[in-house]
Amino acid sequence: MSLIRQFRRALPSALVLVGALLSAPLAAKVAPGDIVAPIADYKIWVGQETQALLAKTQGIVAAIKAGELDKAKALYAPARMHYERIEPIAELFSDLDKSIDVRADDFEKKEADPAFSGFHRLEYGLFAKNSTEGLAPVADKLVADIEALQGRIKSLTVPPEKVVGGAAALIEEVAKTKISGEEDRYSRTDLWDFQANVEGARKIHDLLRPLTTQESPKLVQRIDANFAKVGKLLEKYAAPGGGFVSYDKVSKKDRNAMRGPVNALAEDLSKLRGTLGLN
Ligand SMILES: [Cu+2]
């Protein structure tokens, strides 16, 4: 075969190849393997948060056992933040989530129910009954549950779609139920929880940022802007000594004003899964 003819024969397939290259998107697609590293980093971070949660909760236990009411109260919200940060993946350990963070509403006898346990049981004793009395066993059980959580996390399979979906679901939950003030009803430390929930979702967005940027730089910009907006809202209520003012000091109108920006953030976060091809 002559060289010319050989060339003519090869030409159509070469054209098909060039055509395929031209029609491919300019940005590289996120390959399933690309998500492994950020998820591994996320798991390490969750481990660190759980470690801090354990240490600070042990501090509450010590204060309760020493009868130091004010100290135990002061440690409540900062300790909880470490738990609220990892809440995007709480459904992966739902049994422990229930004993650590359940609310009185889930029990037939509400606060009087002997099965009522965890942070909110401590909160009820410390802030509503204004006493450390009878709380030592509750506090010990909470520490045991956190230790169990720590062990669980080491071997936990963390599916990327659960992490990414969990960030959006948590922020949606803040807008839907937490803004009403149902979570920390005895201590009124709700804003600490909001801040921690936002930080927990933000961590996930930040770890995935390089991948999301490949797919949709605009979505990254929008999520960043939403986080900044919500952060500014929370900043308004920062307490001079660190932490936040009591949620009692946030008017109903101001609470409702938070809903819009928080919802907008949840909505954009909910687009991450599809954008990253995680179904
Ligand atoms: Cu919670």
Side-chain angles (χ1 to χ4, degrees):
M1 208 190 290
S2 78
L3 213 61
I4 296 273
R5 238 205 225 150
Q6 231 174 14
F7 177 74
R8 274 196 188 138
R9 278 225 178 146
L11 197 56
S13 52
L15 282 177
V16 167
L17 183 68
V18 169
L21 284 173
L22 284 176
S23 66
L26 289 172
K29 276 270 171 201
V30 171
D34 292 346
I35 205 123
V36 172
I39 294 299
D41 285 344
Y42 180 65
K43 215 179 134 176
I44 292 169
W45 182 78
V46 168
Q48 290 164 346
E49 285 300 314
T50 313
Q51 179 60 43
L53 171 69
L54 177 63
K56 291 196 186 168
T57 307
Q58 282 165 334
I60 301 180
V61 176
I64 284 172
K65 288 184 178 169
E68 296 172 318
L69 178 64
D70 287 342
K71 193 173 173 190
K73 279 182 175 178
L75 293 172
Y76 171 77
R80 265 185 75 68
M81 283 186 94
H82 297 287
Y83 188 74
E84 292 291 316
R85 284 193 193 111
I86 64 169
E87 249 184 12
I89 56 162
E91 77 159 275
L92 299 179
F93 42 82
S94 56
D95 56 329
L96 288 171
D97 180 49
K98 181 152 192 208
S99 51
I100 291 172
D101 203 29
V102 72
R103 297 165 199 170
D105 318 72
D106 285 17
F107 300 96
E108 201 191 331
K109 294 182 190 157
K110 312 285 181 212
E111 282 88 354
D113 205 300
F116 180 30
S117 68
F119 270 113
H120 297 300
R121 175 65 188 85
L122 287 186
E123 182 197 8
Y124 173 64
L126 295 173
F127 293 88
K129 294 175 88 184
N130 212 31
S131 165
T132 55
E133 226 183 280
L135 292 182
V138 182
D140 281 336
K141 167 80 167 37
L142 178 57
V143 164
D145 286 336
I146 294 169
E147 281 168 346
L149 176 62
Q150 221 178 7
R152 189 87 65 86
I153 280 165
K154 281 189 189 118
S155 53
L156 192 68
T157 306
V158 183
E161 70 276 11
K162 296 272 179 195
V163 175
V164 178
L170 176 61
I171 298 304
E172 199 189 315
E173 195 193 326
V174 173
K176 261 197 187 145
T177 65
K178 294 192 180 200
I179 279 178
S180 69
E182 65 157 47
E183 180 131 35
D184 297 291
R185 66 191 73 163
Y186 320 109
S187 62
R188 298 279 62 141
T189 55
D190 307 72
L191 292 165
W192 299 67
D193 279 21
F194 297 175
Q195 172 74 24
N197 289 156
V198 167
E199 286 169 359
R202 168 128 219 175
K203 182 73 190 177
I204 293 166
H205 168 58
D206 283 343
L207 285 169
L208 294 168
R209 175 186 304 275
L211 299 181
T212 316
T213 303
Q214 278 180 38
E215 297 298 322
S216 175
K218 273 204 176 127
L219 179 61
V220 173
Q221 271 172 19
R222 273 209 323 267
I223 293 176
D224 282 344
N226 283 327
F227 269 120
K229 227 183 233 172
V230 172
K232 255 210 176 111
L233 269 175
L234 285 168
E235 239 168 60
K236 254 174 74 180
Y237 303 107
F244 292 93
V245 301
S246 164
Y247 204 44
D248 281 339
K249 298 231 167 82
V250 184
S251 69
K252 208 167 189 181
K253 193 176 149 233
D254 280 4
R255 290 183 190 188
N256 285 330
M258 273 192 253
R259 217 163 250 139
V262 175
N263 261 326
L265 174 61
E267 210 184 305
D268 277 337
L269 284 173
S270 75
K271 290 176 186 134
L272 276 177
R273 252 179 87 158
T275 303
L276 294 167
L278 300 166
N279 296 306

